[in-house]
Amino acid sequence: MAYVALADREPELSHPHSFITKYIWSQDHKVIAIQYGLTAIAVGVVALILSVMMRLQLGFPDSFSLISPSEYYQFVTMHGMIMVIYLLTALFLGGFGNYLIPLMVGARDMVFPYLNMLSYWVYLLSVIILMASFFVTGGPTGAGWTLYPPQAIMFGTPGVEAGIVLMLASLAVFIVAFTMGGLNYVTTVLQARTHGMTLMRMPLSVWGIFTATVLGLLAFPALLVSAIMMTFDRLLGTSFFMPAIVSMGEQSAYDGGSPILFQHLFWFFGHPEVYIVALPAFGIVSDLLSTHARKNIFGYRMMVWAIVGIGGLSFIVWAHHMYVSGMNPYFGFFFATTTLIIAIPTAIKVYNWVLTLWQGNIHLTVPMLFAIGFIFTFVHGGLTGIFLGNVVVDLPLSDTYFVIAHFHMVMGVSPILVVFGAIYHWYPKMTGRMYNERLGQTHFWMTFLGTYAIYLPMHYLGFLGVPRRYFAYEGIEFIPESAQDLNAAITIAAIFVAFTQIIFFANMIWSLFKGKKAGSNPWGSTSLEWQTPNTPPIHGNWGDELPKVYRWAYDYSVPGAEKDFIPQNTPPSDKAPETNT
Amino acid sequence: MIAVLIFMTAAVAISYWWLWKQKILEQPWLTEGTAVDNRDSTNLAGKSAKSGLFVFLAVVTSIFSLFISAYFMRMNLNDWLPVDEPRLLWGNTGVLALGSIAIHWTARAANNDSIATVRYGLIATGIFTSLFILGQWVAWQELVDQGHYLQSNPAATFFYLFTGLHGIHLLGGLWVWLKTTLKVLAGQNAEQTILSVELCRNYWHYLLVVWLCLFALLLST
Ligand code: HEM
Ligand SMILES: [Cu+2]
């Protein structure tokens, strides 16, 4: 096993010089991070366009005939899958994980840089396979992002010819890529922390990303296993998930399999996946709030315990997605209980964020706005989650727009707000330049208010019983006419939000060339990534000597200190150290 | 989902225990200076590779325990017809155990700086392991001859799936074994081989345990 020894005490990196080895086949975690990030954002834009197409259909069913019912299913599926896996998972772990972990723990690079590079290229392959499914006979699969059998592989579902096979293959390839990256993130945190960087001195961003990676490593296998078994059923005619079934008037060759088995496997992955996306967001948002409120994070230890506690609990709540599958009521009771228990550490985190802001010296910078916006949307989505966690409430609301509103709030909008906040926050470090403040503020307000305009009304549609995954609602008697007006309004808001993102991209690109020089630590941050000798940091990160860490990452506004922050690598002063509680 | 829940409980318990040992209760805002950190920073590459492998094996265990969970759940449905496992599997098991012993012996030799023994040990490991894989292949043929095809019955499907998956992991191990062996034959000295050989040893032992679990499961049901 010829792993390259890295993150070592001596800077023994190879320093590539040609453009290709520096930016394409790069083993530098920062370049890989940016490759991951750009690819994820590019597919994310595809998913966004798909959602606008769906919204046009839903809002103005008679004016546009851009898509057919089959295409609607296909777009729903691809939109959901891309957003959850290929955008958010890849961006938080492959993007921010890669960029931040080595810098924040004071390492020169990931411990297995070659594997890390491979991880990106395999991820890109999975994206290509996924996108290829748009161009095969029958198009991409329309099975819904949950891919439930039997319909996922039965004739009648769009994309059953090749789309579903490509989807399963792409997921398997993605999991391989994720595992290669994940081994790196975990091992780097375990082994390559610099001197003085104990676990309890790590910034919460690292804690969030680290725990999410562990969850991913343990949970993605469930998706892999179900993908393998479904591929067998589809291609080799086995009957893991497929019951005896009549298709197109004929008895199919399948016999005796269990669709519920798939649901268990899928959600055993699916629920932790929510936290794979949420925990990095939790961590990052804690750091943004603390930095921009110039205050130490409230209850650091509780924040850490909550992260690892949520990580453990997230494996015993999966069946709250299956209340409608006809399960034993005692199971329903059990899973409702665990679901409510997991709300406790989550609520603690929310209180701590708010208490961090309390009496802070709040700078309403763009990252801070996004972080505060996150608190709103997350509380909102979290509260509806508590409702849905109860069996009796979930049964009538299941598969309605209430569910759509809930999960978009909690795992769509909230993490995306953190992604934006994080991009604005670390942009000066990644590029050496400052973004345009005015455009950033505009982007925040339009996105934040716009997404509320999209999702708040959906709760009411859900109460009316408007079902999700429907192409059109004509002739459904219990849905009043006025629901259509609401749908039209939602669509207008969605288009507005989609176009708002142009401001973001314009700002990022423009500032790359024309932005003010940022300096190495524009926010006055304590954590190590802001203390690099070069900005943007060069290959190897730290010059000749690794930084030494003397304190935790939250020494803001320490009484008696000369500045309002003390970087982690500042040695203790001679006088008796002041403590700030 | 019993099997995977047992595994998850173990994984979570080990993680929490480890975190506990890492002083997760300490109040980081009260401690300044570097004295709090008493990790030893020698041989980082070796330690990273070993903990990387450990984490990887946790992933693989997750995969196997999920398949086993699926096995138990599928088994309870009424179209399940148990398969008679070929007697040959007993022999294969013995051969795989010999492979594990050989690699263990090799690792010990590498640490004792006797490169000649390392060479023999590696070759023996390769032979036993390849024999095992060959044996599994023959066992598959026997099943096919008895009329148990992949899709004929869920029990047979799982048999192929388990053995195939385990075999693929061994093949992956053999790839690393091949690279190591080629380097040794090209004249590497014993010290340089320690890390690779020890990683192989851990992996082989792990796969032996997995096989014993799978075999016991197949026999008992
Ligand atoms: C402006 C942004 C977005 C808009 C306008 C939007 C719109 C939609 C629409 C119209 C649907 C289909 C509803 C249905 O017919 O059932 C949908 C489904 C979905 N969306 Fe979004 N979405 C957005 C962002 C996101 C994000 C960021 C995520 C990330 C988690 C996400 C995840 C999902 C999922 C998982 C589904 C379910 C797919 C399925 O039913 O199989 N969406 N979205
Ligand atoms: Cu869930």
Side-chain angles (χ1 to χ4, degrees):
Chain A
M1 297 213 153
Y3 291 125
V4 184
L6 230 265
D8 222 328
R9 303 302 154 184
E10 306 91 56
E12 47 172 53
L13 300 167
S14 61
H15 286 283
H17 296 292
S18 77
F19 177 82
I20 300 232
T21 43
K22 218 164 156 181
Y23 296 109
I24 310 286
W25 303 114
S26 173
Q27 303 191 12
D28 180 347
H29 71 100
K30 299 180 289 298
V31 178
I32 297 173
I34 288 168
Q35 291 172 326
Y36 250 114
L38 292 180
T39 312
I41 291 174
V43 271
V45 170
V46 173
L48 182 70
I49 294 172
L50 295 178
S51 70
V52 170
M53 305 279 274
M54 293 188 290
R55 276 315 322 175
L56 281 175
Q57 164 59 32
L58 295 174
F60 307 99
D62 306 318
S63 326
F64 297 94
S65 19
L66 291 172
I67 58 178
S68 65
S70 293
E71 278 166 340
Y72 187 88
Y73 287 133
Q74 295 170 319
F75 288 6
V76 171
T77 308
M78 296 299 269
H79 163 81
M81 197 65 102
I82 292 176
M83 286 291 190
V84 174
I85 300 206
Y86 298 85
L87 170 68
L88 288 176
T89 307
L91 190 55
F92 272 124
L93 302 178
F96 289 110
N98 250 319
Y99 198 87
L100 295 177
I101 291 175
L103 282 168
M104 281 187 157
V105 303
R108 294 200 180 280
D109 207 318
M110 289 290 179
V111 287
F112 314 125
Y114 182 75
L115 205 62
N116 203 22
M117 172 182 83
L118 222 53
S119 162
Y120 169 71
W121 291 103
V122 178
Y123 163 63
L124 184 66
L125 178 67
S126 76
V127 169
I128 292 172
I129 297 176
L130 187 74
M131 289 301 134
S133 70
F134 278 107
F135 305 101
V136 293
T137 1
T141 174
W145 88 282
T146 47
L147 304 178
Y148 278 3
Q151 46 90 10
I153 56 175
M154 294 291 290
F155 278 89
T157 305
V160 72
E161 298 87 349
I164 182 72
V165 179
L166 288 179
M167 171 64 87
L168 295 170
S170 168
L171 288 173
V173 173
F174 179 90
I175 293 166
V176 172
F178 172 78
T179 306
M180 296 199 265
L183 289 178
N184 257 304
Y185 317 149
V186 171
T187 315
T188 304
V189 172
L190 293 183
Q191 298 290 355
R193 280 170 287 132
T194 187
H195 193 55
M197 182 61 88
T198 58
L199 282 189
M200 291 308 270
R201 280 179 175 174
M202 297 196 303
L204 287 168
S205 298
V206 179
W207 271 108
I209 294 170
F210 172 67
T211 314
T213 309
V214 174
L215 290 192
L217 288 172
L218 296 176
F220 268 113
L223 183 63
L224 180 69
V225 164
S226 32
I228 291 176
M229 287 163 63
M230 181 141 38
T231 312
F232 271 47
D233 278 4
R234 168 70 183 75
L235 294 181
L236 304 176
T238 57
S239 302
F240 287 115
F241 303 135
M242 296 300 283
I245 206 165
V246 175
S247 162
M248 319 285 280
E250 272 177 56
Q251 180 73 33
S252 74
Y254 296 118
D255 193 15
S258 160
I260 299 292
L261 172 58
F262 178 88
Q263 297 192 11
H264 278 296
L265 291 173
F266 181 85
W267 289 111
F268 196 80
F269 147 77
H271 188 84
E273 168 64 25
V274 175
Y275 288 99
I276 294 169
V277 172
L279 292 181
F282 289 176
I284 289 173
V285 99
S286 309
D287 286 350
L288 300 193
L289 290 171
S290 165
T291 308
H292 295 272
R294 316 308 296 157
K295 244 186 95 190
N296 61 345
I297 188 79
F298 188 93
Y300 173 81
R301 291 191 302 167
M302 251 194 278
M303 292 302 238
V304 172
W305 301 338
I307 287 178
V308 297
I310 292 172
L313 286 173
S314 70
F315 282 107
I316 47 168
V317 298
W318 79 90
H320 62 208
H321 297 274
M322 299 166 57
Y323 290 152
V324 290
S325 71
M327 61 162 76
N328 182 325
Y330 288 109
F331 284 160
F333 176 74
F334 172 80
F335 285 104
T337 311
T338 53
T339 304
L340 296 184
I341 289 175
I342 209 171
I344 296 170
T346 315
I348 290 178
K349 297 196 74 76
V350 175
Y351 292 129
N352 287 357
W353 289 323
V354 177
L355 288 167
T356 303
L357 292 175
W358 184 254
Q359 296 198 329
N361 172 9
I362 296 177
H363 295 35
L364 283 181
T365 55
V366 180
M368 185 61 153
L369 286 174
F370 277 102
I372 296 174
F374 162 86
I375 300 181
F376 279 89
T377 56
F378 186 74
V379 166
H380 190 135
L383 286 177
T384 51
I386 294 182
F387 288 84
L388 291 174
N390 291 284
V391 187
V392 283
V393 185
D394 182 68
L395 290 184
L397 287 177
S398 172
D399 275 327
T400 67
Y401 265 80
F402 191 85
V403 173
I404 299 279
H406 154 68
F407 74 69
H408 275 95
M409 270 326 221
V410 79
M411 77 168 307
V413 177
S414 301
I416 291 282
L417 290 182
V418 177
V419 163
F420 283 132
I423 293 178
Y424 284 110
H425 182 79
W426 279 290
Y427 187 81
K429 180 53 57 176
M430 294 193 259
T431 63
R433 288 177 190 269
M434 213 58 187
Y435 54 83
N436 179 306
E437 178 76 18
R438 173 94 47 88
L439 287 181
Q441 303 255 353
T442 319
H443 175 223
F444 168 74
W445 285 109
M446 289 166 74
T447 305
F448 179 69
L449 297 176
T451 47
Y452 254 99
I454 301 175
Y455 295 111
L456 204 56
M458 284 192 190
H459 294 87
Y460 295 96
L461 290 180
F463 289 146
L464 293 176
V466 176
R468 73 187 267 213
R469 291 179 176 162
Y470 269 39
F471 170 73
Y473 297 99
E474 289 135 41
I476 302 183
E477 265 163 32
F478 63 83
I479 302 177
E481 296 266 319
S482 55
Q484 191 50 48
D485 300 338
L486 205 51
N487 259 329
I490 293 174
T491 296
I492 291 170
I495 294 171
F496 173 78
V497 170
F499 278 101
T500 298
Q501 305 317 311
I502 294 175
I503 302 179
F504 167 74
F505 288 112
N507 191 356
M508 293 294 111
I509 295 170
W510 183 84
S511 307
L512 196 56
F513 302 102
K514 294 277 162 64
K516 275 202 314 269
K517 289 264 188 250
S520 69
N521 191 359
W523 310 123
S525 277
T526 55
S527 46
L528 285 183
E529 81 275 22
W530 298 100
Q531 325 303 335
T532 54
N534 308 73
T535 299
I538 54 168
H539 196 39
N541 295 349
W542 305 108
D544 292 337
E545 220 178 309
L546 285 176
K548 270 201 168 59
V549 170
Y550 299 95
R551 58 188 73 247
W552 72 328
Y554 298 96
D555 269 343
Y556 289 106
S557 307
V558 179
E562 67 195 83
K563 284 195 251 157
D564 71 348
F565 69 102
I566 313 178
Q568 285 191 278
N569 57 351
T570 309
S573 53
D574 299 332
K575 63 182 163 93
E578 298 257 11
T579 54
N580 57 327
T581 37
Chain B
M1 302 299 277
I2 297 296
V4 70
L5 280 178
I6 292 174
F7 164 66
M8 283 301 163
T9 314
V12 170
I14 292 174
S15 313
Y16 285 1
W17 171 76
W18 179 81
L19 287 171
W20 183 266
K21 284 210 325 188
Q22 301 289 312
K23 308 216 186 81
I24 195 166
L25 297 185
E26 121 191 326
Q27 299 174 317
W29 52 91
L30 296 181
T31 53
E32 272 190 341
T34 53
V36 293
D37 187 4
N38 42 21
R39 283 175 297 151
D40 126 42
S41 57
T42 52
N43 188 18
L44 215 68
K47 276 194 283 193
S48 299
K50 279 194 187 147
S51 40
L53 181 65
F54 181 81
V55 179
F56 177 67
L57 294 185
V59 177
V60 179
T61 313
S62 182
I63 296 180
F64 276 109
S65 46
L66 282 153
F67 270 122
I68 292 173
S69 287
Y71 183 82
F72 281 129
M73 282 161 76
R74 187 68 181 81
M75 195 171 77
N76 289 328
L77 301 178
N78 49 21
D79 62 335
W80 184 274
L81 294 175
V83 185
D84 275 336
E85 286 77 21
R87 300 272 298 280
L88 182 62
L89 291 187
W90 287 99
N92 290 352
T93 308
V95 175
L96 189 64
L98 287 177
S100 243
I101 294 172
I103 191 78
H104 198 90
W105 180 51
T106 316
R108 181 154 329 146
N111 278 306
N112 291 339
D113 201 21
S114 59
I115 188 71
T117 323
V118 170
R119 214 171 288 145
Y120 291 128
L122 278 175
I123 290 170
T125 311
I127 291 175
F128 288 132
T129 313
S130 312
L131 266 180
F132 172 82
I133 291 176
L134 201 72
Q136 297 290 79
W137 179 258
V138 176
W140 279 12
Q141 295 299 330
E142 281 183 26
L143 277 192
V144 170
D145 291 343
Q146 290 170 24
H148 291 298
Y149 299 102
L150 180 73
Q151 62 278 60
S152 47
N153 188 273
T157 317
F158 269 107
F159 182 89
Y160 287 107
L161 197 64
F162 282 159
T163 47
L165 208 69
H166 179 261
I168 287 175
H169 282 89
L170 261 187
L171 285 177
L174 277 179
W175 168 247
V176 178
W177 165 85
L178 184 68
K179 289 204 301 194
T180 313
T181 310
L182 288 180
K183 273 191 228 141
V184 169
L185 294 182
Q188 224 181 20
N189 69 34
E191 205 188 324
Q192 290 163 319
T193 62
I194 292 180
L195 181 59
S196 315
V197 172
E198 285 188 345
L199 290 171
C200 283
R201 175 196 61 193
N202 298 354
Y203 191 62
W204 253 256
H205 289 350
Y206 170 80
L207 282 184
L208 177 64
V209 174
V210 169
W211 171 247
L212 291 178
C213 294
L214 291 178
F215 191 35
L217 180 71
L218 291 170
L219 282 182
S220 64
T221 49

